[in-house]
Amino acid sequence: MLFLVAALLLLGMVLGTVAHAPLGFSVVAGAVIAAWLAVFAARERHARRRHTSTH
């Protein structure tokens, strides 16, 4: 529960910052974060497939 409260607090701070940032910066930052998450998801999926195929 404490983790959820901390996550919501952090989300509120980030959204407050984005509201004051220029639109171009917000779009670029969002694209960078989305690319990072896509790479992470692909690596995790590849690691799980490799792990399950060996057992």
Side-chain angles (χ1 to χ4, degrees):
M1 184 68 179
L2 186 60
F3 176 75
L4 182 60
V5 171
L8 288 173
L9 180 64
L10 183 62
L11 180 64
M13 289 177 10
V14 170
L15 288 178
T17 302
V18 169
H20 296 287
L23 180 62
F25 174 78
S26 299
V27 170
V28 170
V32 168
I33 292 170
W36 176 54
L37 289 174
V39 169
F40 178 76
R43 288 179 64 196
E44 286 294 312
R45 180 175 295 159
H46 178 68
R48 285 187 182 181
R49 283 185 182 169
R50 187 179 60 204
H51 181 69
T52 57
S53 66
T54 59
H55 288 100

